Amino acid sequence: MESLYLLTTTASDFFARLGYEVADRDSAPASIASSAQFVDLCPASATFMCKALGASQQQQASADASADQDAGASGFRGRYTES
């Protein structure tokens, strides 16, 4: 895994502080662009963001993905809180 992608309607500033950058929706990989979230669930006005991972982040993301698969998990895993 080399990059992380997300769509947001309200939290672009939050994700920018975490290293995500705004990207053109047309630049989304086909696997992202064809997802239900991208096509139907998130409005066209949602901000598309991308974060390139460094080597150590890639290893952690791959380990997290493997753990999710081993546990039979699917979909988004994470937490967002406002302070």
Side-chain angles (χ1 to χ4, degrees):
M1 187 178 312
E2 296 178 12
S3 300
L4 301 175
Y5 300 93
L6 65 86
L7 289 165
T8 181
T9 57
T10 61
S12 57
D13 290 340
F14 170 80
F15 287 110
R17 288 192 299 270
L18 297 176
Y20 285 82
E21 296 181 357
V22 174
D24 188 329
R25 285 176 77 114
D26 293 335
S27 70
S31 59
I32 301 291
S34 64
S35 70
Q37 290 81 1
F38 199 92
V39 174
D40 294 321
L41 300 176
C42 290
S45 61
T47 303
F48 178 60
M49 301 183 83
C50 175
K51 180 178 181 178
L53 299 178
S56 63
Q57 291 171 315
Q58 287 179 20
Q59 291 171 348
Q60 183 60 49
S62 293
D64 290 347
S66 294
D68 286 348
Q69 287 177 346
D70 291 344
S74 64
F76 176 77
R77 182 177 65 112
R79 183 180 340 175
Y80 172 72
T81 57
E82 287 190 40
S83 40

